[in-house]
Amino acid sequence: MTSTDHDHNQHEDLVGGPFAVIESDPGVFTSLTRKLGVRNIELVEMYDIEPWTTDHLNPHGLILCFLWRKDDHRPADFNDPAAEHVWFANQLSDDACASHAILNVLLNCPEIDVGDDLRKFRTDTEKMLPVMKGLAITNSPLLRKAHNSLARPADIRGALNVIALTTLDEAKAKATPTTPSAKRGTKPPPAKRAKTTATATKSSPSKVQLQAKTKPKTESEEEAYHFIGYVPAYGKVWELDGLKSGPLEVGELSLPSASSSARNAWMDVVRPALRMKMEKYGGAAEGGDNIRFSLLAIVDGVYEKASDVLQILKREKGALERRMGEGWETSGSKTYAIDFGSQFMDISLRIQDMPEEELGSAWETCVRNAIRANVNVEDELSKAIRANTDHMKRTFDYEPFLKAFVERLQVEGLLNPLMGREEDGSKIKGPPGTAKAKR
C-alpha cells in the first residue's frame, strides 16, 4: 500500500460516513454481532412472551422493535443511582437504532464474550456521558463498517445521497440572508429526513428506518420504527432506549425460584412492562390483531450448544469403549462451552464407577443421543448456509449488470421495441406490437 492510499484510508476513517438502512431480521443481526467479534450468541425471534415460550431460551436480553410515538417521562424517572453503572449510549445516527440497541444490551452482559474490540470499546467509553458514548458509536469505523456490510448497495448509496442533499440544503440555508422577521420568530424543529404524501402506504419494520424524532408525527411524515433493549444488570431490569436521557428502571430482580433459573427470573420482571409497551404501541399483547412490533431475544448460540453436546457424547462413547476394552481413543473436535472440561470430567468419573454389566446399555444410549445431536448440528449448519446465501443475495450489487444489460439492448436495437416504441424512440402509430427490431 502506498503512502497515498494509506492517507486516503485514514482520511476516510476521520471523515466517517452514514449508517445505511439494514433489514430487520434475526439472521442479519446475528451476522452483525459476529462481525463485531461477539462469540457464541445469536438473535432469535420470539412470538410470545409467556413462560412456556421463553424459559427454554434463557435470554441474555431482549430487543423490541415498535412503531415509534412520542413518549414523555419525568426527569425523576432517570435519577436512579444504580443507572450510573449501566452502560448506556444515546442514539445519534438515524438508521443505526437496531445496532445501538444491541450494543446497549451486549455491553451490559458480563457473561457474554463480546470480543477484544468491543471489550476495549466498553472500557474506553464506560466513564463517558450517554451522549458521548453515542458519538463514539457513530464515529467508530469498526461499528460503521460492520453495520454497513449488511446493507444493500442501493441503501448505502441512498444514505450517501441523503448526506449530500442535507449538506447542500444547509449550505443554501447559510447563504440565504436572514430577515428581521425570521430573527423574531422561533426556529422550526428540523424536519424528518424522509417524507411521504398523505396517501402514502404504511411502512413495514422490515427496514430499520428510525428518523430524528424531534416533533410529533404529522400526516405527511413517514412512520418510523424504533428499537430498544431490555437487560438485567446490577440487581434490576432496565429499559435502554437510545432516544431517552438514560436507562429506565423496569423493576428489581428477585431471587430465582426452585422452578426457574437466575437467567429466567428477570423475564418475570420484564413481562408486564412488555405487555404494556405492546398494548400502547402495537396492538394488544394478547389476542391483538394489529401487530406493529417484533421481539428478538439474545440467546446462547444454538450451533455451539449442539456442537458441545455432540462432542461430549463422542467423548463419552470413547470412554465407555475404553472401559469395555476396545483399546482406542475417540479424538474430539473444537468445543465452545467454558465448563466443557468439567462436564466431561463428571461423565468420566461416572463411567469409572459404572458396573461392567451396565456399560453396554450406556454405550447404546450414548450412540442414540449422539445421532440426535449430530442431526441438530447439521440443522444449524444448514441454517447458517441459508443465512449466508441470503446475505450474499442481499448485499450483491446488481446495478452494474442491469445497466450493461439495458445498454446492450439499446445497441442491438431491442430496447425501443420492448418499450413499445419505434426505432427513433417515438410512439408507435398503430396497434401494439407492430414495432420491429433492427436487424
Side-chain angles (χ1 to χ4, degrees), residues 339-353:
D339 60 343
F340 184 90
S342 62
Q343 293 181 43
F344 181 62
M345 183 178 294
D346 293 339
I347 293 174
S348 299
L349 293 175
R350 177 170 55 83
I351 292 174
Q352 291 297 326
D353 297 335

Side-chain angles (χ1 to χ4, degrees), residues 7-29:
D7 293 341
H8 178 67
N9 292 337
Q10 188 179 26
H11 176 67
E12 285 183 344
D13 285 345
L14 290 174
V15 172
F19 282 79
V21 174
I22 62 174
E23 188 174 347
S24 176
D25 178 80
V28 173
F29 296 145

Side-chain angles (χ1 to χ4, degrees), residues 43-102:
L43 281 84
V44 298
E45 194 158 12
M46 297 177 61
Y47 301 99
D48 205 333
I49 58 175
E50 296 304 321
W52 53 83
T53 63
T54 61
D55 285 353
H56 69 285
L57 294 174
N58 291 324
H60 296 275
L62 301 176
I63 305 295
L64 177 66
C65 172
F66 61 96
L67 183 62
W68 183 88
R69 291 196 300 271
K70 188 175 179 60
D71 185 13
D72 294 325
H73 283 279
R74 299 170 300 173
D77 295 337
F78 304 97
N79 289 338
D80 192 331
E84 298 178 0
H85 304 289
V86 178
W87 197 98
F88 173 78
N90 287 130
Q91 179 191 325
L92 304 182
S93 182
D94 289 347
D95 291 320
C97 52
S99 298
H100 274 74
I102 292 172

Side-chain angles (χ1 to χ4, degrees), residues 267-279:
M267 288 296 299
D268 296 331
V269 179
V270 77
R271 196 170 285 116
L274 284 173
R275 288 198 184 98
M276 292 177 60
K277 186 76 73 172
M278 292 174 180
E279 291 172 356

Side-chain angles (χ1 to χ4, degrees), residues 240-262:
L240 306 177
D241 185 344
L243 297 180
K244 292 185 171 63
S245 60
L248 184 65
E249 180 187 343
V250 174
E252 293 191 5
L253 287 173
S254 57
L255 294 176
S257 62
S259 60
S260 65
S261 65

Side-chain angles (χ1 to χ4, degrees), residues 206-324:
S206 63
K207 291 289 182 181
V208 184
Q209 293 178 338
L210 178 68
Q211 314 300 338
K213 301 171 180 64
T214 55
K215 60 177 181 178
K217 186 175 79 71
T218 63
E219 188 180 26
S220 65
E221 289 178 320
E222 185 180 87
E223 293 177 339
Y225 286 86
H226 183 41
F227 289 78
I228 62 176
Y230 291 91
V231 66
Y234 302 101
K236 297 182 179 181
V237 179
W238 303 94
E239 177 186 299
L240 306 177
D241 185 344
L243 297 180
K244 292 185 171 63
S245 60
L248 184 65
E249 180 187 343
V250 174
E252 293 191 5
L253 287 173
S254 57
L255 294 176
S257 62
S259 60
S260 65
S261 65
R263 183 90 64 80
N264 282 325
W266 78 277
M267 288 296 299
D268 296 331
V269 179
V270 77
R271 196 170 285 116
L274 284 173
R275 288 198 184 98
M276 292 177 60
K277 186 76 73 172
M278 292 174 180
E279 291 172 356
K280 182 175 181 180
Y281 293 101
E286 297 179 0
D289 56 359
N290 183 24
I291 305 301
R292 307 300 296 273
F293 56 85
S294 65
L295 185 63
L296 304 175
I298 299 177
V299 300
D300 293 328
V302 179
Y303 167 77
E304 289 83 0
K305 291 170 63 176
S307 178
D308 283 345
V309 170
L310 178 59
Q311 294 306 318
I312 282 183
L313 290 170
K314 284 183 177 180
R315 287 162 169 76
E316 181 179 355
K317 174 175 173 288
L320 287 167
E321 289 172 346
R322 287 192 296 274
R323 273 291 314 272
M324 296 165 67

